[in-house]
């Protein structure tokens, strides 16, 4: 049986190296962290004031819905936190 020809393989050449993108930590989103913390603190303060004043403050006409308002501020803080890079 005849022998097949042996093909020479090309030498491996690695692909050109990509330059790493520089990451700028001060890239225009400086407002996110302070706003997020402010929303958390406002929500917490709203709930604490409601409990400490036995429902007379912050808005007496809302009654127990003041708790929902406080948690709404906290939830808004979590929504803002998704913008943090």
């Amino acid at each position: 049986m005849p022998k097949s020809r042996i093909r020479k393989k090309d030498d491996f050449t690695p692909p050109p190296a990509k330059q790493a993108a520089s990451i700028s930590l001060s890239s225009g989103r400086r407002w996110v962290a302070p706003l997020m913390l402010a929303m958390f603190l406002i929500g917490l303060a709203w709930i604490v004031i409601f409990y400490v004043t036995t429902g007379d403050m912050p808005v007496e006409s809302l009654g127990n819905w003041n708790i929902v308002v406080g948690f709404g501020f906290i939830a808004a803080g979590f929504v803002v936190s998704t913008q943090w890079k």
Side-chain angles (χ1 to χ4, degrees):
M1 177 174 254
K3 228 177 182 184
S4 63
R5 290 187 340 200
I6 299 173
R7 295 182 206 162
K8 185 178 184 225
K9 292 184 179 180
D10 292 335
D11 292 334
F12 175 74
T13 55
K18 295 180 182 177
Q19 290 186 359
S22 63
I23 298 173
S24 175
L25 295 177
S26 61
S27 62
R29 301 265 180 155
R30 296 177 142 183
W31 55 272
V32 174
L35 180 62
M36 176 185 66
L37 292 174
M39 298 296 258
F40 288 155
L41 292 175
I42 290 170
L44 180 65
W46 194 288
I47 294 171
V48 167
I49 289 171
F50 173 72
Y51 276 117
V52 168
T53 62
T54 61
D56 293 337
M57 287 179 69
V59 180
E60 186 176 1
S61 62
L62 288 178
N64 286 336
W65 284 98
N66 280 304
I67 298 171
V68 175
V69 172
F71 277 113
F73 276 111
I74 293 171
F78 279 113
V79 169
V80 170
S81 73
T82 62
Q83 300 298 314
W84 196 5
K85 288 187 178 184

